[in-house]
Amino acid sequence: MKNEILSKWVHSGPDLEELYPLAISAFQNENELIQSIEEVHRYLTVDRHSLSKIYQDQALVSAYFLFYFPTHIIKLARYFQRLGPDVLAILKSIHSWIDFGAGPATFTLPLSFFMKENPSFKIELIESSALMRRQAARLLSYFYPNDPSFSFHEYLNLHPSIEKTKDQNRAIFFGHSFNEWPGDIENLLAHSSWKAIILLEPGTKETFQR
């Protein structure tokens, strides 16, 4: 039943009412949700120096999830549909994935839907915000309860092992996260072995400058 729901979401998107029970924060009414969404949007666009405020507020994390998940899941599905079958077969053969800056798993869930055809599939969600990890865990555990394929880490704790690992059968995914990371990602990518590097970005000025 849950696989059918996820399949439907991947192809046509979820209804907002379906997502409310999966959010870590409940909103009293629609106006309260809209206000939180507008605040999130302001931090992501106009007031980007205050971006960290999103990750420290449970209501803002939930608003981010409720607003962006319906478009993120469709966006990633369309991306995979545009890939040729040979490329998609290569991606599905990769057993070890890293979702860098995973947020509330708005891209992790659809990515897993496509890649779980590989029985060895596993994915590490790198996310520094505890609230984002909590929201991600709630979403993923609904569809994949007690699934050892998923693990959560803070980036700074995992950084040394990423650089030292020489596993060739692995990939790193950036879903609207490359533009937010202030560190030296370019150096990380250059000194690590990846079978695939996927950047799915919103096209902010910061991304283009880098």
Side-chain angles (χ1 to χ4, degrees), residues 41-53:
H41 184 261
R42 185 176 73 252
Y43 292 142
L44 288 170
T45 55
V46 180
D47 191 15
R48 287 184 65 84
H49 68 278
S50 300
L51 196 61
S52 61
K53 291 183 179 180

Side-chain angles (χ1 to χ4, degrees), residues 36-168:
S36 294
I37 289 174
E38 289 176 342
E39 188 173 353
V40 168
H41 184 261
R42 185 176 73 252
Y43 292 142
L44 288 170
T45 55
V46 180
D47 191 15
R48 287 184 65 84
H49 68 278
S50 300
L51 196 61
S52 61
K53 291 183 179 180
I54 296 176
Y55 312 120
Q56 301 165 6
D57 187 298
Q58 181 169 307
L60 296 185
V61 167
S62 294
Y64 180 102
F65 161 68
L66 291 170
F67 184 69
Y68 285 106
F69 178 65
T71 56
H72 285 183
I73 192 170
I74 293 294
K75 184 174 185 178
L76 190 60
R78 296 293 185 271
Y79 169 79
F80 283 130
Q81 288 171 2
R82 290 174 179 267
L83 294 177
D86 292 342
V87 175
L88 195 55
I90 291 173
L91 293 179
K92 289 183 177 181
S93 72
I94 299 173
H95 63 71
S96 180
W97 286 78
I98 288 177
D99 187 347
F100 194 99
T106 53
F107 283 114
T108 316
L109 181 61
L111 178 66
S112 302
F113 174 81
F114 284 100
M115 298 303 152
K116 265 188 167 291
E117 292 180 17
N118 183 338
S120 299
F121 169 85
K122 63 179 181 178
I123 186 165
E124 299 174 69
L125 290 81
I126 312 300
E127 175 54 55
S128 61
S129 166
L131 287 174
M132 283 290 188
R133 294 196 303 272
R134 181 181 162 197
Q135 178 62 74
R138 183 158 183 168
L139 175 62
L140 294 172
S141 63
Y142 177 77
F143 290 100
Y144 303 109
N146 304 313
D147 192 328
S149 301
F150 303 95
S151 60
F152 297 84
H153 303 274
E154 289 186 59
Y155 171 71
L156 291 178
N157 291 341
L158 192 62
H159 183 273
S161 65
I162 290 180
E163 288 197 321
K164 293 177 182 178
T165 300
K166 296 303 179 183
D167 182 2
Q168 296 289 333

Side-chain angles (χ1 to χ4, degrees), residues 16 20 27 29-38 63 66:
L16 190 57
Y20 281 136
F27 295 91
N29 50 57
E30 188 174 294
N31 286 335
E32 187 176 284
L33 171 59
I34 291 173
Q35 289 176 0
S36 294
I37 289 174
E38 289 176 342
L66 291 170

